[in-house]
Amino acid sequence: MLSLEQLQAGLQTGAYLPALEKIYGDDASKQARRLAGIAAQFAVHFSPDAKDVAVFSAPGRSEIGGNHTDHNHGKVLAAGVNLDILGVAAKTGQARVRVNSAGYRPNDVDLTTLTPVEAETGHSNAMIRGICAGFAQRGFSIGGFDAATASDVLGGSGLSSSAAFGVLIGTILNHFYNDAKILPLELAQIAQYAENVFVGKPCGLMDQTASAVGGFVAIDFADTAHPVLTKLDFDFAKSDHTLCIVDTGGSHADLTGDYAAVRGEMESVAEALGKQVLRETSRQALLENLPIVRAQCGDRAVLRALHFFAENERVDAQAAALARGDFDAFLQLIKESGRSSFMYNQNIFTGGMTREQPVSLALALSENVLGQRGAWRVHGGGFAGTMQAFVPLDMLEEYRAAMEAVFGTGSCHVLQVRAHGGVRVI
């Protein structure tokens, strides 16, 4: 490790551009300027004389396939994206973690208390404390550090800024106090534990895993304690497409019941078939018992269960298409996933909303602009917020102009898939 002064001097001379290029590619010079600003932030809030300094990054993520499957122990395909939380951290060896994140209130966590603090529920102090507790429970070492961070992971976009923050904290602890021996999946599990138990957010494991691992990653949650990861060796930069996330402006407020109903209805079908979750049964079992299940659970629950079974199969097909380099087949499967979410899972708009269906409109506009090219689908939980499109590079400006004419300037975010997960950069 180096001193803050050495880091700042090296950023001025360009000495760290090769290290930044490994993570950010052609964007390295821009990220060097961003990092210089974070280092200056560290000097102001902590100490310009800090020693044992290192630079860390954790990316946001995008769900690619497996819409509403993980909560019923299904399969998902996700990817790390080229928006991240970037941090300058200094090891202190004290029982205290201090984090100053640009645009947010400072964090200050005393590590002598590693149990949930009620007043911290829902806040980032709880995330830090929970991750340290998770490390300690698993027999890993913890200790203090100071960190200044800045995030360009879009809040409220479905790119999971909270998971990126948790993975960043875990990555710092892993390198400072554990010789970087903790594997990405275990870091992700610790971050999920922190969100569930300390922050009070009942999230699954997909977000943290995608951020920790990076690139395209297929995840099988049949055994949620030991999910199976398959990192796919596919260079998205060579696909002649870009990944667009369109923020339609719809609010997620008061949608908790809609999200819970998807999971609840899927599980009601599983229960009607004598199981706890849909992964434990099959489409064939559902069809053989359809009159009974329909009467007990209702038609929408049956349709959502049919979506689950088909979406699970699609994840395998998507992963296989990427593995053999068949991007056209992959795009077709993305569109099939989107149609299934719209028709069967029914998480594109909430019931009773007739005047405001922004995600539906964004999907229709995408089809109108892209026609037989590219692909489009809902992004994440649905009902409001964002959609996802794979857009050919030669159509990007046309697509972005069409979406921003309706949803506002800056609503179409142009991304790439990032190969690296949570990582020490310098």
Side-chain angles (χ1 to χ4, degrees), residues 92-249:
T92 65
Q94 301 173 355
R96 184 183 186 190
V97 170
R98 299 186 298 175
V99 180
N100 188 283
S101 300
Y104 296 89
R105 289 166 46 186
N107 303 114
D108 193 336
V109 176
D110 180 352
L111 302 185
T112 59
T113 299
L114 293 178
T115 54
V117 175
E118 185 175 354
E120 293 177 348
T121 301
H123 298 287
S124 49
N125 268 359
M127 177 78 81
I128 296 168
R129 194 182 305 280
I131 288 172
C132 291
F135 267 66
Q137 287 177 11
R138 291 169 180 253
F140 299 127
S141 299
I142 60 173
F145 62 85
D146 294 332
T149 74
S151 175
D152 59 11
V153 183
L154 310 164
S157 63
L159 297 175
S160 202
S161 56
S162 61
F165 181 74
V167 169
L168 182 77
I169 297 301
T171 301
I172 293 171
L173 287 170
N174 191 21
H175 283 265
F176 276 174
Y177 293 102
N178 295 277
D179 299 321
K181 67 186 179 186
I182 307 173
L183 297 178
L185 176 58
E186 194 158 14
L187 282 180
Q189 290 171 324
I190 292 171
Q192 182 205 21
Y193 163 79
E195 288 224 47
N196 291 171
V197 177
F198 283 71
V199 180
K201 179 181 176 182
C203 63
L205 186 58
M206 177 183 70
D207 296 353
Q208 294 82 2
T209 302
S211 179
V213 175
F216 284 101
V217 57
I219 315 168
D220 187 338
F221 290 109
D223 180 353
T224 55
H226 302 94
V228 177
L229 306 185
T230 304
K231 186 164 183 176
L232 303 170
D233 185 17
F234 180 82
D235 188 353
F236 183 68
K238 296 180 180 178
S239 70
D240 293 325
H241 285 69
T242 192
L243 173 61
C244 291
I245 300 296
V246 179
D247 184 355
T248 68

Side-chain angles (χ1 to χ4, degrees), residues 66 69-70 72-76 219-220 278-279 306-317:
T69 54
D70 58 333
N72 265 251
H73 297 198
K75 301 176 182 180
V76 300
I219 315 168
D220 187 338
L278 287 177
R279 186 60 184 277
L306 290 170
H307 163 80
F308 173 90
F309 295 126
E311 190 76 345
N312 247 16
E313 293 172 359
R314 261 189 297 273
V315 168
D316 285 339

Side-chain angles (χ1 to χ4, degrees), residues 359-384:
V359 177
S360 307
L361 179 58
L363 292 168
L365 288 172
S366 297
E367 183 174 13
N368 184 66
V369 174
L370 296 177
Q372 298 301 311
R373 302 183 66 191
W376 50 92
R377 69 191 283 275
V378 68
H379 186 240
F383 297 109

Side-chain angles (χ1 to χ4, degrees), residues 218-292:
I219 315 168
D220 187 338
F221 290 109
D223 180 353
T224 55
H226 302 94
V228 177
L229 306 185
T230 304
K231 186 164 183 176
L232 303 170
D233 185 17
F234 180 82
D235 188 353
F236 183 68
K238 296 180 180 178
S239 70
D240 293 325
H241 285 69
T242 192
L243 173 61
C244 291
I245 300 296
V246 179
D247 184 355
T248 68
S251 172
H252 287 88
D254 301 322
L255 291 176
T256 301
D258 293 284
Y259 295 131
V262 177
R263 177 174 184 168
E265 289 179 16
M266 286 185 181
E267 290 177 352
S268 74
V269 172
E271 184 179 357
L273 296 170
K275 306 295 182 181
Q276 291 186 316
V277 292
L278 287 177
R279 186 60 184 277
E280 297 172 349
T281 183
S282 67
R283 178 194 289 108
Q284 186 62 32
L286 171 58
L287 294 175
E288 289 174 355
N289 294 276
L290 190 54
I292 296 172

